[in-house]
Amino acid sequence: MLRPFRLLEPTTAMEASAELRRLGDQARVYAGGAELVLLMRHGILQTDYLVNVKGIPSLHGVTWDGTVARIGAATTHSQVERDPIVRQRLPTLAQSAGTIGNIRVRNQGTIGGNLCFADPHSDPEAPLLVHDAQVVLSCTAGERRLPVDDFLVGTFETAIQPDEILTGVEAEPLPTGFGQAFLRIERYHRPTVNVASGVRAAEGRIAEARLAVGCVGARTIRLRDLETRVTGLGVDEATRVGREYGPILTELLEPVDDLLGSAEYKIHVACVLLGRAIGEAAHTNEAAES
Amino acid sequence: MVQAERTQEAPRIDSWGKVSGSATFVEDMPELTGSLYAAPVKSPYAHARVGAIDVSRALALEGVSSVLYRDNLHEFGLQLDALAPLDPALIVGDKALYQGDLVAVVVASDLRTARRAAELVDVDYEILDPVFSAEAALQAGAPILHDHRGTNSIFDDSLMWGDIEDGFRQAVTIVERNLVSPTVFHHPMEPVGTGMVRFAGDIAEIWAPTNTPMRDASDIAHVLGVPADHVHLRVPYVGGGFGAKKTTREMAAALALSRKLRRPIRVVATGEESFHVAVRHAMEYRARVGVDAEGRLVALDVDLAVDCGAYFTGGKVATHNACTSAWGPYRVPHFRVRAKTAFTNKTPATPHRGTGKTQTTFAIECLMDEVARTISTDPVEFRERNVLLPGERVPERFTVEGSRIAGDSAPMTIDFPSLMREGMDALGPEQPPLSPSLVRGRGVSVSLRNWAKGSEESQASATLNPDGTVTVAHTASDLGQGIYNMISVVAAKTLGLDQAQIHVENPDTSTMLRFPGATAQRTTIELGNAVYAASTNLKRQIIDLAVESRGGTPDAWIIQGGSLWLGDVRYSLSDLAKEAPGVVLSAVGSDTEVYPTDDAFGETEFWTPGVAAAEVDVDRDTGEISVLRYAILAEAGKILHYNSARGQLEGGAVMGFGLALFEELRYEDGQVQNADAFQYRLPLMRDVPPSFQVLITENGDGPGPFGAKGIAQTSIPCVAPAVANAIFDAVGVPVSSTPITPEKVLRALGTLTDRP
């Protein structure tokens, strides 16, 4: 059962950062608790203080400045899923948010919390990587931006500094001509494998591709090598290359057997989904063009 | 056969309370004055020798009252030798046999302190190698659980008829298969093991969810060394059971502590701890089956390995049920099943909805499809050719555990061929799947159930209250099936009253009304008959009183529409009751059947079928499975409440989808890997097929009130085989174990390498 802890409720990111600086290891950031509280209940994680950032007004909501969509870190998955800006500009992110856990988790958990927890079985990470999204990190010393690809380090590990608060996520829509897809397989409450793609196809060939795969390795990754390999290929050929990418994917991700399945199974399914995600993105793009 | 229709009927009497949240479950019960809280200390290891136990740090914590554990057990005045020798002792002695075995119970002023103190109990464990399957446990050199036994083998069971060798000599095709059903957790919504206990004078009071209150009260009386009528066990609403709900060791320990401390104690179990109380028996079904040149079954030889977990709780029934159902409903002239049972370092297995039969039905029904396909016959046609037809009997004589007994069971009444055809028709015309990677298939499965009579009679009482209402008392827990509603319907219908005039009490063992337990789909029949008898007896008393006070003859009086009638003149029951102060009208009714212990199904007087048809899509690339259409066929005898009957069949099937596709407790690396709701996948609403049909027929041939039968366990066993056979049909290769995961499908297809 939960151990007693103190709940701190700062109203600005600066205050929150100051609390983190003051309390050091004794404090954890609470941004919805979908995963954190589970660990606390099981006694895996014990903390004296929780710094609730969900009450910070500036961490909420989605804005669009004409180029970049900014999603406040404390925006819940349900809000991301339903937000008109996200749905229009970052549709696979909206889609991925709608698949997380269950309705209770989506109403409680936040995009910032999800990213900071860095569970390799995250849903929003793959679309964010495809969008070349970046996170905004704030502390009393100032603010910095970091690509999501640099922010994610490993399993439960990010580049956030102990006194930093993730305040938002910024992403641009995919450039004109891109189609996109988000595909996932799940058995438990977390995805077994997920894949996001952004593909620009022209005259039946892949002109540009962005591909990301989650859950199989220590963190969600962009597959830049595969992106290069498929560029210039016909769509069917690119799909086949995706499907047959297993040996390299195994080396890249070093998957392990676990409850969700064997490493062999996860790699196989990831490649099936990659092939499909390339094809679907290419076709949505062509459908949009025609 | 008459197809039952959804008729005008009142909602279940428990509906409003459960929908509004006002129904009282044990956790909703108010605090007893001065209550303490209990927390368990459980073995974190599956197999360990327990050395020194130091409770000093726990006792030093402020608010801690006491600890019950091995070293002070003798201070509690308990009769420990009264427990069944192979069931768990009240508390672990020198060995913990599964992860979750109870080492100590701590009580404190509040729950947090009790939990904290439990963590402060220092136990020296010497970790031993665990064994996690019956087959491994029975091998020479396996770690032995119960040292004094020298073996993990518990007992052997068997059932046979004909001459198995002779049967195989007639076979032209022989198929061999090994089908595996894993350990699963019942997973009721309400945790397993929450209760409240108190000693009032020398009366032990317990409030707990259990499906067998009378048996539990008697067991607890033995341990406490008090007369059985000094244990008053009361059962509030129960949030699901499926075989897992019993009073627990923690509650018995809490009673011992309560007697010593003279304080009430609340025992609170978590969802995670529930996984360590009860699970289903894992079974391995190794079969050899022979068919002759005409495609008729001639021989079936089955070796069963039954994994009972760390203690024997319920192993006898599960194993015996598995033996009696191992042949399905088929005409097998030469049959033999031999079962071996073993202790393993897993949560003790207990009965689980359709106990023993979900495992064997999966096996025999998958086997029948494999045989059919081996001889290039349609699986439905193969079943039509081989299933017992109405009028046929299960072989006349059979041998059970070595003794030959007469088989005088009732002839088959079930028309399986027509039920199967109805099931396949209910799936509608076949259509191609929507995507090129998908393949579609259909499967059918059947099961046959004999009536398992209770071990003792069932009783109920009916009492006329001064306000003209009637109170029915009994000791049958409502675990969600709608038992109270069944009681209300039967009493109202028998007495001629409205349901609003019937009050159904919660079970209370101080009434000493007998009932073997809400198990084995027998409650509607046996308790229903008792309620019918009690109501009939009370009705007679009411009419006698009416004759006495108003004249007329007993034949002239009727009770109808909630009132008494003498000719055209109406009298209210409340007037009658009020005019006779000091007269209490109360009657006990009993199910008058005699209940001998039957060796197999020799005493069976009627049969209940289970039939299901399924349509699935399988993604050949990912192995993902979707059940698109599912039809359940059932034979209810007589439906007492349509929505309850339908709910039981639907609920059983949804639970079956869990067994078919998702559920398995994984024991690896010395530990159970997924004993929490986050990692134990249950069926979700979205797993219910878009087309989900329930077809119930009523033959009126049941032995229960108004011709009713039990149907609660007829839908669950058919699900895994119907789905497995549909997958087999779709992909062309069989999967031999549940849950049927996408990964197993890919392995069967050869997409992934072949490995266990």
Side-chain angles (χ1 to χ4, degrees), chain B residues 26-27 40 42 115 185-195 208-211 238-251 267-279 347-348 350 479:
Chain B
V26 73
E27 286 200 27
K42 295 186 161 216
R115 293 258 168 202
F185 173 44
H186 310 63
H187 213 297
M189 283 166 71
E190 177 190 44
V192 183
T194 291
T210 167
N211 64 351
V238 182
F242 317 110
K245 289 280 172 68
K246 293 274 183 290
T247 51
T248 57
R249 301 156 88 183
E250 285 86 338
M251 291 180 208
V267 185
V268 181
T270 65
E272 290 81 15
E273 285 165 352
S274 301
F275 282 82
H276 303 292
V277 182
V279 297
T347 301
T350 65
L479 297 106

Short mmCIF file of all heavy atoms in Angstrom, two decimals, chain B residues 26-27 40 42 115 185-195 208-211 238-251 267-279 347-348 350 479:
data_model
loop_
_atom_site.label_atom_id
_atom_site.label_comp_id
_atom_site.label_asym_id
_atom_site.label_seq_id
_atom_site.Cartn_x
_atom_site.Cartn_y
_atom_site.Cartn_z
N VAL B 26 -18.67 -6.84 1.67
CA VAL B 26 -18.04 -6.86 2.99
C VAL B 26 -17.21 -5.60 3.25
O VAL B 26 -17.15 -5.08 4.36
CB VAL B 26 -17.22 -8.16 3.22
CG1 VAL B 26 -15.95 -8.18 2.40
CG2 VAL B 26 -16.92 -8.36 4.70
N GLU B 27 -16.61 -5.06 2.18
CA GLU B 27 -15.81 -3.85 2.38
C GLU B 27 -16.66 -2.63 2.71
O GLU B 27 -16.16 -1.63 3.21
CB GLU B 27 -14.98 -3.55 1.12
CG GLU B 27 -13.81 -4.50 0.97
CD GLU B 27 -12.73 -3.95 0.07
OE1 GLU B 27 -12.59 -2.72 -0.06
OE2 GLU B 27 -12.02 -4.77 -0.52
N PRO B 40 -1.19 -9.86 6.48
CA PRO B 40 -0.48 -11.13 6.40
C PRO B 40 1.01 -10.93 6.13
O PRO B 40 1.43 -9.96 5.50
CB PRO B 40 -1.13 -11.80 5.18
CG PRO B 40 -1.51 -10.65 4.29
CD PRO B 40 -1.82 -9.48 5.20
N LYS B 42 3.60 -13.02 4.03
CA LYS B 42 3.53 -14.12 3.07
C LYS B 42 4.91 -14.45 2.54
O LYS B 42 5.75 -13.56 2.38
CB LYS B 42 2.61 -13.74 1.92
CG LYS B 42 1.17 -13.56 2.40
CD LYS B 42 0.22 -13.33 1.26
CE LYS B 42 -1.20 -13.64 1.71
NZ LYS B 42 -2.01 -14.25 0.68
N ARG B 115 0.22 -3.32 8.02
CA ARG B 115 1.00 -3.65 6.81
C ARG B 115 2.49 -3.35 7.04
O ARG B 115 3.36 -4.10 6.61
CB ARG B 115 0.51 -2.83 5.63
CG ARG B 115 -0.89 -3.19 5.19
CD ARG B 115 -0.84 -4.06 3.97
NE ARG B 115 -2.14 -4.65 3.71
CZ ARG B 115 -2.35 -5.75 3.00
NH1 ARG B 115 -1.34 -6.39 2.49
NH2 ARG B 115 -3.55 -6.21 2.80
N PHE B 185 -6.10 -17.72 -12.81
CA PHE B 185 -6.72 -17.22 -11.58
C PHE B 185 -8.18 -16.90 -11.87
O PHE B 185 -8.50 -16.38 -12.94
CB PHE B 185 -5.97 -15.96 -11.09
CG PHE B 185 -6.63 -15.27 -9.93
CD1 PHE B 185 -7.12 -16.00 -8.85
CD2 PHE B 185 -6.76 -13.89 -9.90
CE1 PHE B 185 -7.72 -15.36 -7.77
CE2 PHE B 185 -7.36 -13.25 -8.83
CZ PHE B 185 -7.85 -13.99 -7.76
N HIS B 186 -9.05 -17.19 -10.92
CA HIS B 186 -10.49 -16.96 -11.10
C HIS B 186 -10.77 -15.47 -11.34
O HIS B 186 -11.67 -15.11 -12.07
CB HIS B 186 -11.26 -17.38 -9.85
CG HIS B 186 -10.93 -18.76 -9.36
ND1 HIS B 186 -9.68 -19.13 -8.90
CD2 HIS B 186 -11.70 -19.86 -9.23
CE1 HIS B 186 -9.72 -20.40 -8.52
NE2 HIS B 186 -10.93 -20.87 -8.71
N HIS B 187 -10.05 -14.64 -10.68
CA HIS B 187 -10.15 -13.19 -10.77
C HIS B 187 -11.56 -12.62 -10.66
O HIS B 187 -12.06 -11.95 -11.57
CB HIS B 187 -9.48 -12.66 -12.05
CG HIS B 187 -8.88 -11.30 -11.83
ND1 HIS B 187 -9.65 -10.20 -11.50
CD2 HIS B 187 -7.60 -10.87 -11.86
CE1 HIS B 187 -8.85 -9.17 -11.35
NE2 HIS B 187 -7.61 -9.54 -11.54
N PRO B 188 -12.20 -12.85 -9.52
CA PRO B 188 -13.44 -12.10 -9.27
C PRO B 188 -13.12 -10.62 -9.07
O PRO B 188 -11.97 -10.27 -8.77
CB PRO B 188 -13.97 -12.71 -7.97
CG PRO B 188 -12.77 -13.31 -7.30
CD PRO B 188 -11.84 -13.72 -8.40
N MET B 189 -14.11 -9.75 -9.27
CA MET B 189 -13.85 -8.32 -9.13
C MET B 189 -13.52 -7.94 -7.69
O MET B 189 -12.71 -7.08 -7.43
CB MET B 189 -15.07 -7.53 -9.60
CG MET B 189 -15.15 -7.47 -11.11
SD MET B 189 -16.77 -6.91 -11.66
CE MET B 189 -16.70 -5.19 -11.20
N GLU B 190 -14.20 -8.60 -6.74
CA GLU B 190 -13.92 -8.32 -5.33
C GLU B 190 -12.71 -9.14 -4.91
O GLU B 190 -12.62 -10.32 -5.24
CB GLU B 190 -15.15 -8.73 -4.52
CG GLU B 190 -15.02 -8.57 -3.03
CD GLU B 190 -16.19 -9.25 -2.30
OE1 GLU B 190 -16.55 -10.38 -2.66
OE2 GLU B 190 -16.72 -8.65 -1.38
N PRO B 191 -11.78 -8.53 -4.17
CA PRO B 191 -10.61 -9.31 -3.75
C PRO B 191 -11.00 -10.56 -2.97
O PRO B 191 -12.07 -10.63 -2.37
CB PRO B 191 -9.84 -8.34 -2.85
CG PRO B 191 -10.28 -6.99 -3.27
CD PRO B 191 -11.71 -7.14 -3.72
N VAL B 192 -10.11 -11.54 -2.99
CA VAL B 192 -10.34 -12.79 -2.28
C VAL B 192 -9.66 -12.69 -0.92
O VAL B 192 -8.45 -12.48 -0.85
CB VAL B 192 -9.74 -13.98 -3.06
CG1 VAL B 192 -10.04 -15.29 -2.35
CG2 VAL B 192 -10.29 -14.01 -4.49
N GLY B 193 -10.43 -12.80 0.14
CA GLY B 193 -9.80 -12.85 1.46
C GLY B 193 -10.11 -11.68 2.36
O GLY B 193 -9.48 -11.52 3.40
N THR B 194 -11.10 -10.85 1.99
CA THR B 194 -11.47 -9.74 2.85
C THR B 194 -12.63 -10.18 3.74
O THR B 194 -13.57 -10.81 3.25
CB THR B 194 -11.86 -8.52 2.00
OG1 THR B 194 -10.68 -8.03 1.37
CG2 THR B 194 -12.44 -7.41 2.87
N GLY B 195 -12.55 -9.83 5.02
CA GLY B 195 -13.62 -10.20 5.93
C GLY B 195 -13.50 -9.48 7.26
O GLY B 195 -12.54 -8.73 7.50
N ALA B 208 -18.03 -12.59 5.75
CA ALA B 208 -17.05 -12.86 4.70
C ALA B 208 -17.74 -13.34 3.43
O ALA B 208 -18.78 -14.01 3.50
CB ALA B 208 -16.06 -13.92 5.18
N PRO B 209 -17.15 -13.04 2.28
CA PRO B 209 -17.67 -13.61 1.04
C PRO B 209 -17.18 -15.04 0.87
O PRO B 209 -15.97 -15.28 0.90
CB PRO B 209 -17.07 -12.71 -0.04
CG PRO B 209 -15.88 -12.07 0.56
CD PRO B 209 -16.00 -12.15 2.05
N THR B 210 -18.09 -15.96 0.77
CA THR B 210 -17.74 -17.36 0.54
C THR B 210 -18.91 -18.04 -0.16
O THR B 210 -20.04 -17.62 0.03
CB THR B 210 -17.42 -18.11 1.86
OG1 THR B 210 -17.38 -19.52 1.59
CG2 THR B 210 -18.48 -17.84 2.92
N ASN B 211 -18.62 -19.06 -0.95
CA ASN B 211 -19.74 -19.75 -1.59
C ASN B 211 -20.19 -20.98 -0.79
O ASN B 211 -21.13 -21.64 -1.18
CB ASN B 211 -19.42 -20.12 -3.05
CG ASN B 211 -18.28 -21.10 -3.17
OD1 ASN B 211 -17.61 -21.40 -2.19
ND2 ASN B 211 -18.05 -21.61 -4.36
N VAL B 238 -21.60 -10.87 -2.61
CA VAL B 238 -20.26 -11.33 -2.98
C VAL B 238 -19.95 -10.84 -4.39
O VAL B 238 -20.77 -11.01 -5.29
CB VAL B 238 -20.18 -12.87 -2.93
CG1 VAL B 238 -18.77 -13.35 -3.26
CG2 VAL B 238 -20.61 -13.39 -1.56
N GLY B 239 -18.79 -10.24 -4.54
CA GLY B 239 -18.40 -9.68 -5.85
C GLY B 239 -17.74 -10.72 -6.74
O GLY B 239 -16.61 -10.56 -7.17
N GLY B 240 -18.45 -11.79 -7.01
CA GLY B 240 -17.91 -12.83 -7.89
C GLY B 240 -17.09 -13.84 -7.11
O GLY B 240 -16.46 -13.51 -6.10
N GLY B 241 -17.11 -15.07 -7.56
CA GLY B 241 -16.35 -16.10 -6.86
C GLY B 241 -15.70 -17.07 -7.82
O GLY B 241 -14.50 -17.21 -7.86
N PHE B 242 -16.53 -17.76 -8.59
CA PHE B 242 -16.07 -18.74 -9.59
C PHE B 242 -15.28 -19.88 -8.97
O PHE B 242 -14.55 -20.58 -9.66
CB PHE B 242 -15.26 -18.04 -10.70
CG PHE B 242 -15.87 -16.75 -11.16
CD1 PHE B 242 -15.28 -15.53 -10.87
CD2 PHE B 242 -17.09 -16.76 -11.84
CE1 PHE B 242 -15.88 -14.34 -11.26
CE2 PHE B 242 -17.69 -15.58 -12.22
CZ PHE B 242 -17.08 -14.36 -11.94
N GLY B 243 -15.39 -20.04 -7.65
CA GLY B 243 -14.67 -21.11 -6.97
C GLY B 243 -13.57 -20.59 -6.05
O GLY B 243 -13.03 -21.34 -5.26
N ALA B 244 -13.27 -19.31 -6.14
CA ALA B 244 -12.14 -18.77 -5.37
C ALA B 244 -12.54 -18.27 -3.98
O ALA B 244 -11.69 -18.08 -3.12
CB ALA B 244 -11.48 -17.61 -6.13
N LYS B 245 -13.83 -18.05 -3.77
CA LYS B 245 -14.24 -17.39 -2.52
C LYS B 245 -14.52 -18.38 -1.41
O LYS B 245 -15.46 -19.17 -1.47
CB LYS B 245 -15.48 -16.52 -2.78
CG LYS B 245 -15.20 -15.27 -3.59
CD LYS B 245 -14.62 -14.16 -2.76
CE LYS B 245 -14.17 -12.99 -3.62
NZ LYS B 245 -15.26 -12.28 -4.27
N LYS B 246 -13.67 -18.32 -0.43
CA LYS B 246 -13.79 -19.13 0.78
C LYS B 246 -13.32 -18.26 1.93
O LYS B 246 -12.60 -17.30 1.73
CB LYS B 246 -12.85 -20.35 0.71
CG LYS B 246 -13.22 -21.37 -0.36
CD LYS B 246 -14.23 -22.37 0.17
CE LYS B 246 -14.54 -23.44 -0.85
NZ LYS B 246 -15.31 -22.94 -1.99
N THR B 247 -13.71 -18.64 3.13
CA THR B 247 -13.04 -18.00 4.25
C THR B 247 -11.59 -18.46 4.21
O THR B 247 -11.31 -19.61 3.88
CB THR B 247 -13.68 -18.37 5.60
OG1 THR B 247 -13.79 -19.78 5.66
CG2 THR B 247 -15.05 -17.75 5.74
N THR B 248 -10.68 -17.57 4.52
CA THR B 248 -9.26 -17.86 4.29
C THR B 248 -8.54 -18.19 5.60
O THR B 248 -9.07 -18.02 6.69
CB THR B 248 -8.57 -16.64 3.66
OG1 THR B 248 -8.79 -15.53 4.53
CG2 THR B 248 -9.17 -16.34 2.29
N ARG B 249 -7.30 -18.63 5.43
CA ARG B 249 -6.45 -18.89 6.60
C ARG B 249 -6.28 -17.61 7.42
O ARG B 249 -6.23 -17.65 8.65
CB ARG B 249 -5.07 -19.35 6.15
CG ARG B 249 -5.08 -20.60 5.29
CD ARG B 249 -3.83 -20.64 4.42
NE ARG B 249 -2.71 -21.29 5.09
CZ ARG B 249 -1.50 -21.39 4.54
NH1 ARG B 249 -1.24 -20.86 3.35
NH2 ARG B 249 -0.52 -22.00 5.18
N GLU B 250 -6.18 -16.48 6.71
CA GLU B 250 -6.02 -15.20 7.41
C GLU B 250 -7.21 -14.94 8.33
O GLU B 250 -7.05 -14.44 9.45
CB GLU B 250 -5.90 -14.05 6.40
CG GLU B 250 -4.55 -13.96 5.71
CD GLU B 250 -4.46 -14.83 4.46
OE1 GLU B 250 -5.25 -15.81 4.34
OE2 GLU B 250 -3.60 -14.56 3.60
N MET B 251 -8.41 -15.27 7.84
CA MET B 251 -9.60 -15.03 8.66
C MET B 251 -9.62 -15.95 9.87
O MET B 251 -9.98 -15.53 10.97
CB MET B 251 -10.86 -15.24 7.82
CG MET B 251 -11.07 -14.18 6.76
SD MET B 251 -12.58 -14.54 5.85
CE MET B 251 -12.17 -13.81 4.27
N VAL B 267 -9.98 -7.97 8.21
CA VAL B 267 -8.93 -8.53 7.36
C VAL B 267 -9.13 -7.95 5.96
O VAL B 267 -10.22 -8.07 5.41
CB VAL B 267 -9.03 -10.08 7.29
CG1 VAL B 267 -7.86 -10.66 6.50
CG2 VAL B 267 -9.09 -10.67 8.69
N VAL B 268 -8.11 -7.31 5.45
CA VAL B 268 -8.25 -6.65 4.14
C VAL B 268 -7.27 -7.27 3.16
O VAL B 268 -6.07 -7.27 3.40
CB VAL B 268 -7.99 -5.13 4.25
CG1 VAL B 268 -8.17 -4.46 2.89
CG2 VAL B 268 -8.92 -4.50 5.28
N ALA B 269 -7.80 -7.82 2.08
CA ALA B 269 -6.93 -8.40 1.06
C ALA B 269 -6.84 -7.45 -0.13
O ALA B 269 -7.80 -6.74 -0.43
CB ALA B 269 -7.48 -9.74 0.60
N THR B 270 -5.72 -7.44 -0.79
CA THR B 270 -5.57 -6.62 -1.99
C THR B 270 -5.84 -7.47 -3.23
O THR B 270 -5.86 -8.70 -3.17
CB THR B 270 -4.14 -6.06 -2.10
OG1 THR B 270 -3.25 -7.17 -2.28
CG2 THR B 270 -3.74 -5.29 -0.86
N GLY B 271 -6.02 -6.77 -4.32
CA GLY B 271 -6.19 -7.48 -5.59
C GLY B 271 -4.99 -8.37 -5.89
O GLY B 271 -5.14 -9.49 -6.37
N GLU B 272 -3.80 -7.90 -5.57
CA GLU B 272 -2.59 -8.68 -5.85
C GLU B 272 -2.52 -9.91 -4.96
O GLU B 272 -2.17 -11.00 -5.41
CB GLU B 272 -1.33 -7.82 -5.66
CG GLU B 272 -1.14 -6.74 -6.70
CD GLU B 272 -1.97 -5.50 -6.42
OE1 GLU B 272 -2.48 -5.34 -5.29
OE2 GLU B 272 -2.13 -4.66 -7.34
N GLU B 273 -2.85 -9.74 -3.68
CA GLU B 273 -2.79 -10.90 -2.77
C GLU B 273 -3.78 -11.98 -3.18
O GLU B 273 -3.57 -13.17 -2.94
CB GLU B 273 -3.08 -10.45 -1.33
CG GLU B 273 -1.91 -9.74 -0.70
CD GLU B 273 -2.28 -8.98 0.57
OE1 GLU B 273 -3.48 -8.87 0.88
OE2 GLU B 273 -1.36 -8.47 1.22
N SER B 274 -4.88 -11.55 -3.83
CA SER B 274 -5.90 -12.52 -4.23
C SER B 274 -5.34 -13.60 -5.15
O SER B 274 -5.81 -14.74 -5.13
CB SER B 274 -7.04 -11.79 -4.96
OG SER B 274 -7.60 -10.81 -4.13
N PHE B 275 -4.34 -13.24 -5.94
CA PHE B 275 -3.73 -14.21 -6.85
C PHE B 275 -3.06 -15.36 -6.11
O PHE B 275 -2.72 -16.38 -6.70
CB PHE B 275 -2.66 -13.53 -7.73
CG PHE B 275 -3.21 -12.74 -8.87
CD1 PHE B 275 -3.67 -11.45 -8.68
CD2 PHE B 275 -3.27 -13.29 -10.14
CE1 PHE B 275 -4.15 -10.71 -9.74
CE2 PHE B 275 -3.75 -12.55 -11.22
CZ PHE B 275 -4.20 -11.26 -11.02
N HIS B 276 -2.80 -15.15 -4.82
CA HIS B 276 -2.07 -16.16 -4.05
C HIS B 276 -2.97 -16.94 -3.11
O HIS B 276 -2.51 -17.51 -2.13
CB HIS B 276 -0.94 -15.49 -3.26
CG HIS B 276 0.01 -14.73 -4.14
ND1 HIS B 276 0.84 -15.35 -5.04
CD2 HIS B 276 0.22 -13.41 -4.30
CE1 HIS B 276 1.54 -14.44 -5.69
NE2 HIS B 276 1.17 -13.25 -5.27
N VAL B 277 -4.28 -16.93 -3.40
CA VAL B 277 -5.20 -17.69 -2.56
C VAL B 277 -5.72 -18.91 -3.30
O VAL B 277 -5.76 -20.01 -2.74
CB VAL B 277 -6.39 -16.80 -2.11
CG1 VAL B 277 -7.31 -17.60 -1.20
CG2 VAL B 277 -5.89 -15.55 -1.40
N ALA B 278 -6.13 -18.73 -4.54
CA ALA B 278 -6.76 -19.83 -5.27
C ALA B 278 -6.51 -19.65 -6.76
O ALA B 278 -6.55 -18.54 -7.26
CB ALA B 278 -8.26 -19.83 -4.99
N VAL B 279 -6.28 -20.76 -7.44
CA VAL B 279 -6.13 -20.75 -8.90
C VAL B 279 -6.80 -22.01 -9.47
O VAL B 279 -7.23 -22.88 -8.72
CB VAL B 279 -4.65 -20.72 -9.34
CG1 VAL B 279 -3.96 -19.45 -8.86
CG2 VAL B 279 -3.91 -21.97 -8.84
N THR B 347 0.31 -21.56 -6.32
CA THR B 347 -0.86 -21.27 -5.49
C THR B 347 -1.76 -22.51 -5.47
O THR B 347 -1.96 -23.14 -6.50
CB THR B 347 -1.63 -20.07 -6.09
OG1 THR B 347 -0.77 -18.94 -6.14
CG2 THR B 347 -2.86 -19.73 -5.26
N PRO B 348 -2.29 -22.89 -4.29
CA PRO B 348 -3.14 -24.09 -4.23
C PRO B 348 -4.32 -23.95 -5.20
O PRO B 348 -4.98 -22.92 -5.24
CB PRO B 348 -3.63 -24.11 -2.78
CG PRO B 348 -2.66 -23.27 -2.02
CD PRO B 348 -2.13 -22.25 -2.97
N THR B 350 -8.00 -24.69 -6.67
CA THR B 350 -9.33 -24.94 -6.10
C THR B 350 -10.31 -25.10 -7.26
O THR B 350 -9.95 -24.87 -8.41
CB THR B 350 -9.79 -23.75 -5.25
OG1 THR B 350 -9.96 -22.61 -6.10
CG2 THR B 350 -8.79 -23.41 -4.16
N LEU B 479 -23.28 -14.98 -5.34
CA LEU B 479 -21.96 -14.52 -5.79
C LEU B 479 -22.09 -13.65 -7.03
O LEU B 479 -21.08 -13.30 -7.64
CB LEU B 479 -21.05 -15.71 -6.06
CG LEU B 479 -20.77 -16.56 -4.82
CD1 LEU B 479 -21.51 -17.87 -4.87
CD2 LEU B 479 -19.28 -16.79 -4.63
#
